[in-house]
Amino acid sequence: MIPFYKRLFFFLTLSVLLGACGFFSQGNDYDEETIDKAKKSVERFILHNYEEIESVEITRSYESEMGGLTIEGTVNDGAAEFTAGVRSDFSIGHLAPGEDFPDRKEACKEQICE
C-alpha cells in the first residue's frame, strides 16, 4: 500500500503539470494582421447575413484546440454573444450564435450573402 502523503504528492504534481500544459497551449500563434483580417471577415459576415444588426464587437480571438482561429464577440451592444470559426482563407467556417441572437436574413438562408 502506498502511503497517503506519496499519493497526495503524486496527485498535486500531476495537477500542476496538467494545468501548466493547458495554460501554455492557450497561446495565440496568429499574427496581428491575420487576426485583424479574421475580425473584419466575421463582422462583415454577421452584418450581411443577419437581421437588425446595429453593432458587432469582437471581445476575444484565440487558437482553438484544433488549431483554427476562433473569434468571440457580441452584437447590438452586448445583447447577444457569438463564437465564429475562421478558415485560412478568412471565410467563416461556423458561427455559433448565443441566446437572443438576431435571425438570419431570409435571402441568406439558402446561401451566404456577401
Side-chain angles (χ1 to χ4, degrees):
M1 179 108 186
I2 300 174
F4 174 76
Y5 69 90
K6 285 187 179 182
R7 285 186 280 157
L8 180 64
F9 178 76
F10 174 76
F11 176 74
L12 290 174
T13 303
L14 185 61
S15 298
V16 168
L17 288 174
L18 290 175
C21 288
F23 176 77
F24 289 114
S25 70
Q26 294 295 322
N28 200 345
D29 290 338
Y30 295 99
D31 59 54
E32 286 301 313
E33 182 181 352
T34 301
I35 293 170
D36 287 341
K37 285 181 181 179
K39 287 178 179 180
K40 288 176 184 173
S41 292
V42 170
E43 285 181 40
R44 188 172 46 252
F45 179 84
I46 291 172
L47 288 170
H48 290 171
N49 288 277
Y50 289 86
E51 296 177 346
E52 301 174 9
I53 299 293
E54 297 167 10
S55 64
V56 178
E57 181 183 342
I58 305 300
T59 57
R60 182 175 175 216
S61 62
Y62 59 94
E63 184 176 353
S64 70
E65 293 176 8
M66 298 299 288
L69 180 55
T70 301
I71 304 290
E72 293 180 350
T74 62
V75 295
N76 300 341
D77 296 320
E81 298 177 339
F82 67 87
T83 302
V86 181
R87 296 183 181 128
S88 60
D89 65 354
F90 300 105
S91 63
I92 306 307
H94 73 275
L95 182 89
E99 269 187 55
D100 299 326
F101 200 85
D103 292 329
R104 195 141 189 185
K105 292 178 181 177
E106 195 62 40
C108 303
K109 287 184 179 181
E110 296 295 321
Q111 64 182 10
I112 295 173
C113 296
E114 299 273 340

